[in-house]
Amino acid sequence: MLIKDAPVIWDSLRSIICVYKPPNVTCQRVRQTIITAVCTGLNEMECRPPMDYVSIEGNPSTQLTVTVKPNLADHPLVVGPRYQIEDLKCSWSNYLGLHSSGVLLLGLRNGTKAAKLIRENRPTRSYRVSGRFGEATENGFKNEKVVERSTYKHIKHANINKLLAAMQASHQKEMFKSCGVDLQSQTAYEMACEGPIRPADSKLPVIYGIKCVQFEPPDFVIEIQCINEYETYLKSLIHEIGAKLRSTAHCTGIQCIRHSYFTLENALLRKHWTLQHIITNMEECIAIIDEHENLVKQKKAALQ
Amino acid sequence: MLRRLIKTCTVRTLGPFRPLSSVQKIENKISTVENSSEIIDPRLVSNSDNLNENPPESSVLQPCKEDISYVAPYLRPSFNFAAYVNKSHTLQQLLKLGVRLYKWEKNQEVPPYILQLDFDKDIKSYIIFLTDLGLQTEDLGKLIEKNPFIFKEDLENLQVRINYLKYKKFTDEMILRIVQDNPMWLSFSTQDIDKKLGFFQKSFSLTGNEVRSLTARKPRLITYDIEHIKLNMFVIKEEMGFTPEEMKQIVLQTPKLFMNNQHRILKTFEYIHKEMNIPLETIVKMPQVLTCREFRIKQRHQFLQKLGKLQFDTKKPNYISLITLVSGSDAHFATEVAGSSIHAFNAFLKTM
């Protein structure tokens, strides 16, 4: 690290970072780990020295001496390290559940505003969801007890593709219905001409694209491009696929591979959650945001 | 910075700080008062101040010749040591030893106790005692920080506890290591330590030498919470299925395992035993793998699985032992053990 001054680095932490959230770790824990890593890294650098303490000693009736010493009341051993964990603000832009892994955007200090803007602009996310036919579990994920078993030999790749295409079409129809404008109006027609649009509601999951990329019975992997989704929704989606194909299915893994313009390439692995890597990552993220202004500021309802 | 408000000091305990710059006068008065009571009530001292002995006829407008630099308002209660450290010789000396005073503010009982101590009277003798055992300045600072109530114990009691260890045939280096590594040891009475050492000797059926080497290896284990250790023993014997002899081997090789959280070691064990199909005998030979976090082993194991380089049979070529799987940095593992590159390993990690 070329800069040794901790206050300079602290001032420069004002944007978002892109982190790879490992599976079976909560978002809160990721946030705490990042905050701790940043604070310990800053405290190891050269921090502000103790302020000066002017002490006037001596007998007032004879001679008073004025000395300037470092103020022990400001010493790091007395008051604590300069950068405290409670002082660093950090918030996430999209929430990933316990079992999901993948791209997670965190905003540090002033970056919390950018993270909020990105979240409110509702960018699309891409997921790779893997599932397994033949068993249905209590919560739709592989860690719980199996509730139902069924055969899956009758399922072919073509069946899955047909089902997923039908799902995508029905979601597109719903999407137009929830655009917030009367369907019979001219505005709705103009919006439809531009292509897929963002829903007006922030609670309704909308799927823009769904495709089966791998099928080795009983395991299969689908890629979903969607908006407003949450972990339980994706698990129930897998369950629904199993039900529609006259079998049963449960989810074995969820991975967020893209969050608008941030992909897995930009994501920082757990072993790289140190101050130096976080700063380089922040610079990359700033470049991405500068390049694509619509991340932070929406001009149209159409999907870009 | 939010700190919990610690109601620390009454005026009584702050009394010694009031007349701080005229220490000489206090010492004179202390020597006269010492015969009557051990604890000097500062109000007694202040009552015989020069200020009150002024002749009543002098007016305030007359020039004053006395040294009134010590006249100051009472020090008020504060929630941190920073308010007192510039004026307190004791706290400054503790700072020089490297004690982190902010760590004491979390515990409500420590600051009122520390503030009424005097360095030369109370603390110095303990420091001399500990440096005689061989402790360096940094270790002294750490010990005082972790165990400030050591100054409550009698020096004779501390000496008795050290003599007990010598009687039990602990060498001087072992005793130094015990005091260095476990700051709380000296606060336990001889009977307590005897009970704890006896517990370890009985539960693991250790000989005298083994008890001594175990204590020197991990002194904190001996004074650790006994319920936690019993729980870990249950986990290792019943849930994992090791025999008592194997458990004894484990405790002598990795004593830290008994201080770990049982859910964590159970998770690691389940992955190693059930998913990787490693038999118990192999795990007993290298119990350090049980202290590893599950995700680390999982990552490396699945990477090797993907490359097809898994070989846990000692007799076949390209054998990879559990230790090499777990130890070393990721770069070392990716290049030496897996024969691939760190980029491939990182790319694999992003697919998990």
Side-chain angles (χ1 to χ4, degrees):
Chain A
M1 186 117 60
L2 293 170
I3 307 174
K4 294 245 171 81
D5 232 6
V8 173
I9 305 276
W10 173 260
D11 280 335
S12 71
L13 289 173
R14 27 182 67 235
S15 186
I16 53 176
I17 53 170
C18 180
V19 141
Y20 185 86
K21 176 190 164 306
N24 297 325
V25 167
T26 53
C27 265
Q28 287 91 337
R29 228 176 105 188
V30 171
R31 176 183 170 272
Q32 272 300 107
T33 317
I34 297 273
I35 292 179
T36 321
V38 170
C39 285
T40 37
L42 284 172
N43 285 325
E44 277 164 17
M45 300 166 78
E46 278 173 26
C47 301
R48 164 180 75 84
M51 300 186 289
D52 287 325
Y53 178 62
V54 179
S55 72
I56 303 170
E57 288 152 15
N59 188 344
S61 31
T62 52
Q63 183 77 351
L64 286 173
T65 47
V66 180
T67 45
V68 177
K69 302 181 275 199
N71 193 354
L72 286 174
D74 199 27
H75 197 272
L77 287 183
V78 177
V79 135
R82 292 283 181 232
Y83 296 98
Q84 299 278 330
I85 291 174
E86 300 95 21
D87 294 336
L88 186 62
K89 282 196 288 190
C90 177
S91 70
W92 51 70
S93 175
N94 59 314
Y95 185 74
L96 290 174
L98 179 65
H99 300 126
S100 326
S101 62
V103 174
L104 179 68
L105 291 184
L106 291 171
L108 293 177
R109 294 186 67 225
N110 276 8
T112 41
K113 294 181 197 151
K116 182 168 170 249
L117 284 173
I118 294 180
R119 184 173 57 229
E120 285 173 356
N121 278 318
R122 276 177 267 136
T124 56
R125 283 182 282 277
S126 285
Y127 283 84
R128 272 177 82 92
V129 187
S130 53
R132 181 176 256 254
F133 286 121
E135 286 170 352
T137 56
E138 271 181 25
N139 67 345
F141 201 70
K142 62 181 178 184
N143 60 338
E144 287 289 322
K145 207 167 60 166
V146 172
V147 182
E148 204 184 312
R149 269 182 239 267
S150 62
T151 57
Y152 51 86
K153 296 228 173 66
H154 57 274
I155 303 178
K156 306 276 181 295
H157 203 141
N159 300 7
I160 305 183
N161 286 341
K162 208 161 114 181
L163 170 68
L164 295 181
M167 262 190 184
Q168 184 175 332
S170 74
H171 270 259
Q172 304 281 33
K173 221 160 79 173
E174 284 302 317
M175 168 193 75
F176 279 115
K177 282 192 193 155
S178 70
C179 67
V181 186
D182 186 26
L183 269 179
Q184 302 291 333
S185 64
Q186 179 67 12
T187 345
Y189 173 70
E190 276 164 14
M191 277 164 80
C193 286
E194 285 175 16
I197 48 171
R198 242 171 274 269
D201 187 15
S202 77
K203 300 286 177 197
L204 201 70
V206 176
I207 297 181
Y208 291 105
I210 182 165
K211 209 167 61 169
C212 178
V213 291
Q214 235 185 319
F215 180 56
E216 288 141 16
D219 295 311
F220 65 98
V221 177
I222 53 175
E223 263 191 35
I224 308 178
Q225 200 173 347
C226 51
I227 245 182
N228 294 339
E229 81 305 329
Y230 41 94
E231 192 183 84
T232 357
Y233 177 74
L234 295 170
K235 290 180 189 166
S236 65
L237 200 73
I238 298 280
H239 187 266
E240 209 186 300
I241 293 176
K244 290 256 166 72
L245 292 171
R246 290 172 295 127
S247 173
T248 45
H250 66 275
C251 184
T252 48
I254 306 176
Q255 194 191 28
C256 175
I257 55 177
R258 197 175 63 84
H259 186 295
S260 67
Y261 296 102
F262 299 95
T263 61
L264 282 180
E265 272 173 30
N266 315 101
L268 215 56
L269 281 173
R270 192 202 309 229
K271 55 184 178 168
H272 294 146
W273 291 350
T274 56
L275 186 63
Q276 173 67 73
H277 287 113
I278 289 176
I279 295 172
T280 25
N281 188 285
M282 192 175 273
E283 286 167 17
E284 286 170 17
C285 291
I286 291 177
I288 294 178
I289 296 182
D290 285 339
E291 205 184 308
H292 307 280
E293 221 195 65
N294 56 4
L295 257 181
V296 187
K297 203 166 178 176
Q298 286 297 323
K299 294 202 178 116
K300 299 189 270 192
L303 208 61
Q304 277 129 7
Chain B
M1 277 180 256
L2 300 170
R3 300 274 168 101
R4 253 186 278 145
L5 197 74
I6 301 170
K7 196 168 176 227
T8 57
C9 320
T10 62
V11 177
R12 198 161 243 274
T13 58
L14 288 177
F17 293 124
R18 272 177 36 242
L20 268 174
S21 50
S22 56
V23 178
Q24 266 185 337
K25 284 199 188 131
I26 300 299
E27 277 179 1
N28 292 336
K29 279 160 196 140
I30 286 171
S31 55
T32 51
V33 180
E34 217 170 43
N35 301 328
S36 49
S37 59
E38 270 184 11
I39 300 166
I40 295 132
D41 188 351
R43 290 190 202 179
L44 277 177
V45 176
S46 65
N47 275 345
S48 48
D49 257 348
N50 279 345
L51 215 52
N52 295 348
E53 286 170 345
N54 271 338
E57 299 95 45
S58 77
S59 100
V60 185
L61 298 169
Q62 277 187 342
C64 170
K65 297 238 174 68
E66 281 85 26
D67 183 7
I68 49 164
S69 57
Y70 59 85
V71 175
Y74 289 110
L75 284 169
R76 307 184 61 102
S78 160
F79 65 90
N80 56 11
F81 283 109
Y84 313 122
V85 78
N86 274 316
K87 300 217 158 43
S88 160
H89 173 69
T90 315
L91 291 179
Q92 283 168 11
Q93 291 296 98
L94 287 176
L95 256 194
K96 281 194 197 145
L97 288 174
V99 175
R100 291 179 290 185
L101 297 177
Y102 67 91
K103 291 274 178 184
W104 283 340
E105 290 162 14
K106 286 192 193 149
N107 187 345
Q108 285 212 0
E109 292 154 33
V110 176
Y113 173 67
I114 292 291
L115 283 171
Q116 42 107 339
L117 290 179
D118 181 57
F119 187 78
D120 295 313
K121 266 191 303 174
D122 308 313
I123 303 182
K124 218 173 194 172
S125 37
Y126 289 85
I127 294 186
I128 295 174
F129 172 80
L130 290 168
T131 37
D132 280 341
L133 287 176
L135 276 179
Q136 308 293 321
T137 329
E138 307 93 45
D139 298 323
L140 262 179
K142 276 190 212 154
L143 196 151
I144 298 176
E145 187 190 306
K146 289 276 165 171
N147 191 9
F149 291 122
I150 196 171
F151 303 121
K152 268 194 187 166
E153 314 280 331
D154 259 334
L155 266 177
E156 291 107 35
N157 278 341
L158 294 185
Q159 190 58 50
V160 165
R161 287 157 199 175
I162 300 286
N163 291 344
Y164 166 80
L165 286 175
K166 288 203 177 123
Y167 167 70
K168 289 282 178 182
K169 298 183 203 153
F170 281 88
T171 65
D172 282 336
E173 291 101 40
M174 283 182 180
I175 297 180
L176 174 64
R177 160 114 179 114
I178 290 172
V179 177
Q180 264 177 342
D181 205 61
N182 191 350
M184 309 299 293
W185 182 287
L186 286 173
S187 296
F188 285 88
S189 73
T190 322
Q191 289 92 333
D192 277 335
I193 297 281
D194 198 38
K195 257 194 236 170
K196 288 180 198 285
L197 288 173
F199 166 76
F200 277 93
Q201 191 163 24
K202 252 191 270 179
S203 340
F204 297 104
S205 19
L206 303 170
T207 67
N209 268 334
E210 284 167 344
V211 174
R212 278 188 282 276
S213 74
L214 175 67
T215 318
R217 183 107 188 245
K218 199 90 201 164
R220 268 187 277 158
L221 183 66
I222 308 291
T223 50
Y224 209 72
D225 177 26
I226 285 215
E227 294 308 318
H228 192 278
I229 298 194
K230 282 192 191 156
L231 190 64
N232 276 28
M233 279 171 60
F234 173 84
V235 163
I236 291 182
K237 241 200 296 196
E238 323 289 333
E239 292 190 31
M240 295 189 190
F242 289 108
T243 64
E245 291 83 32
E246 289 173 333
M247 194 168 69
K248 177 173 163 175
Q249 258 191 308
I250 292 175
V251 86
L252 289 173
Q253 276 202 322
T254 29
K256 184 141 199 283
L257 203 63
F258 288 83
M259 300 189 345
N260 280 347
N261 181 299
Q262 6 99 338
H263 296 293
R264 198 163 73 90
I265 54 175
L266 203 55
K267 251 197 204 166
T268 317
F269 173 80
E270 270 177 18
Y271 187 77
I272 297 180
H273 189 56
K274 294 194 183 142
E275 306 271 337
M276 291 164 68
N277 288 322
I278 306 246
L280 287 175
E281 295 85 36
T282 329
I283 301 182
V284 166
K285 284 190 208 145
M286 16 195 151
Q288 301 92 306
V289 293
L290 287 175
T291 57
C292 297
R293 290 168 292 180
E294 189 216 4
F295 72 85
R296 263 190 108 224
I297 300 188
K298 205 170 180 175
Q299 281 167 358
R300 296 187 172 192
H301 173 77
Q302 287 186 351
F303 184 58
L304 289 177
Q305 225 171 20
K306 191 173 149 218
L307 290 178
K309 292 220 171 133
L310 270 187
Q311 188 56 268
F312 289 123
D313 197 346
T314 35
K315 300 191 179 86
K316 304 222 175 99
N318 290 334
Y319 163 64
I320 298 175
S321 77
L322 274 180
I323 294 266
T324 39
L325 182 71
V326 174
S327 56
S329 70
D330 272 355
H332 172 89
F333 166 77
T335 44
E336 308 293 318
V337 181
S340 171
S341 74
I342 185 70
H343 296 291
F345 186 53
N346 284 349
F348 171 75
L349 286 180
K350 289 196 181 171
T351 63
M352 276 190 73

